[in-house]
Amino acid sequence: MARRKEVQLQEELKNQEQWDDFLSKKGVGMIDVFQAWAGPCAAVNGMLRRIKNELGDDLLRFATAEADNIEALERYRGKCQPTFLFYAGGELVHVIRGANAPLITKAIPDLLKAEHSVLEDGGERKVITDPLFDQE
């Protein structure tokens, strides 16, 4: 019996070009921004796999991105808290700090519903700026 090939859950964004390419794709992308010394948040992997399987929505994509290697993430360098950025249409639409499973579990279906409304019904996408940087 042949072994099933494991499907990669998260894309690894290693440079600015890959970052730009990920943001250019249709749908909602959740990006786990991390520092090289800490690595991506492994605690959420099982939850993300479950959400992806339950929702079965091709508009949902996950990625990890090392802040030190991507110019667009310069402002996140030196931050030690897990940060999850949610993008749709190349725009930031939500931010979650910390490995808050209940918050992530609630946010993903809500953001997908909103994105479907934008793509299918011409709804308006709610774009935000990261509140952390609003304080600067």
Side-chain angles (χ1 to χ4, degrees):
M1 184 181 206
R3 286 181 84 178
R4 280 189 352 192
K5 183 179 179 186
E6 183 74 19
V7 176
Q8 184 178 357
L9 178 65
Q10 297 172 301
E11 288 183 51
E12 292 181 36
L13 309 180
K14 297 180 179 179
N15 56 48
Q16 187 65 44
E17 182 179 341
Q18 291 174 343
W19 171 266
D20 293 339
D21 182 57
F22 185 82
L23 294 189
S24 73
K25 294 176 183 168
K26 188 167 72 169
V28 174
M30 182 185 118
I31 305 165
D32 176 0
V33 178
F34 69 94
Q35 306 295 306
W37 54 268
C41 185
V44 300
N45 285 345
M47 176 195 61
L48 296 180
R49 187 170 304 284
R50 180 182 51 76
I51 291 170
K52 181 73 172 169
N53 288 336
E54 285 176 5
L55 296 176
D57 194 323
D58 290 337
L59 289 181
L60 178 60
R61 298 171 295 106
F62 300 115
T64 60
E66 185 180 332
D68 297 323
N69 294 333
I70 299 171
E71 200 174 301
L73 297 175
E74 182 177 7
R75 296 175 89 181
Y76 293 93
R77 295 174 188 162
K79 310 282 188 247
C80 63
Q81 185 177 34
T83 302
F84 301 94
L85 304 177
F86 294 82
Y87 281 84
E91 303 282 351
L92 185 64
V93 294
H94 197 67
V95 177
I96 295 177
R97 285 193 175 62
N100 187 330
L103 197 54
I104 293 169
T105 300
K106 180 180 179 343
I108 290 173
D110 292 349
L111 293 167
L112 273 173
K113 182 179 177 183
E115 188 62 11
H116 276 286
S117 174
V118 168
L119 296 174
E120 296 163 9
D121 305 325
E124 189 173 328
R125 184 178 289 119
K126 184 182 174 198
V127 176
I128 67 164
T129 57
D130 189 329
L132 179 69
F133 304 123
D134 286 347
Q135 301 167 6
E136 292 180 347

